[in-house]
Amino acid sequence: MSDSITFRYKISGDDFTRAGEASSDVKNKLKMMGVDNNVIRKVAIAMYEGEINMVIHADGGNVTVDITDDNIKIVLADQGPGIQDVEKAMEAGFSTAPEEVRALGFGAGMGLPNMKKYSDKMDIQTVLGVGTTVTMNIHM
């Protein structure tokens, strides 16, 4: 593949029934493209965690996935409240998810740590009251 392929998704806010559809679609497309299973697993986990964060904290957002010969770049952009303390949010188990979300089995505070763990490079740009953009790169 000498050119890049781009997929775009709109994530609905506060809709846990549809959360994960975009990451599942990317996973299936990567399988059809013959991408290595370990890479697919990393992409699926990192992107799913990002989707869930957008549903819980930001009333949804947009995901762009750019695939080249040697890299998969995932950009998750929302217009949510922003992340108050990125360093704290990166701590495993730290969560600002409301209790009703935790009761559904989400919001355990592993989203950002897992996104970092399963990506080769991750960057978080956040502005309080404006939104957050997380960019992850996963090498093939």
Side-chain angles (χ1 to χ4, degrees):
M1 159 185 23
S2 57
D3 295 322
S4 67
I5 297 173
T6 301
F7 301 114
R8 298 185 198 298
Y9 301 91
K10 174 85 176 132
I11 308 303
S12 299
D14 207 26
D15 185 355
F16 290 98
T17 60
R18 298 197 55 210
E21 285 182 357
S23 54
S24 181
D25 186 62
V26 170
K27 177 182 174 180
N28 290 333
K29 287 176 177 171
L30 292 174
K31 281 182 182 179
M32 290 186 339
M33 294 167 64
V35 173
D36 179 86
N37 284 334
N38 289 328
V39 171
I40 293 172
R41 181 174 173 269
K42 290 167 67 173
V43 168
I45 292 170
M47 189 169 159
Y48 175 79
E49 293 286 11
E51 278 184 81
I52 292 297
N53 279 353
M54 293 168 93
V55 170
I56 293 172
H57 301 289
D59 196 29
N62 296 295
V63 180
T64 303
V65 180
D66 288 310
I67 304 166
T68 62
D69 286 334
D70 59 355
N71 188 64
I72 299 171
K73 178 180 174 183
I74 304 165
V75 179
L76 303 111
D78 67 54
Q79 295 178 335
I83 302 171
Q84 184 100 26
D85 184 341
V86 173
E87 192 174 311
K88 187 81 172 157
M90 290 301 298
E91 293 178 12
F94 176 79
S95 178
T96 59
E99 196 52 49
E100 60 270 17
V101 169
R102 291 180 194 215
L104 295 172
F106 299 101
M110 293 306 297
L112 287 174
N114 277 338
M115 290 165 72
K116 182 168 178 62
K117 176 181 178 180
Y118 290 102
S119 61
D120 294 306
K121 181 180 177 193
M122 184 172 96
D123 177 68
I124 300 171
Q125 299 296 316
T126 189
V127 178
L128 294 180
V130 176
T132 301
T133 298
V134 178
T135 303
M136 297 180 289
N137 287 281
I138 298 166
H139 306 305
M140 298 226 256

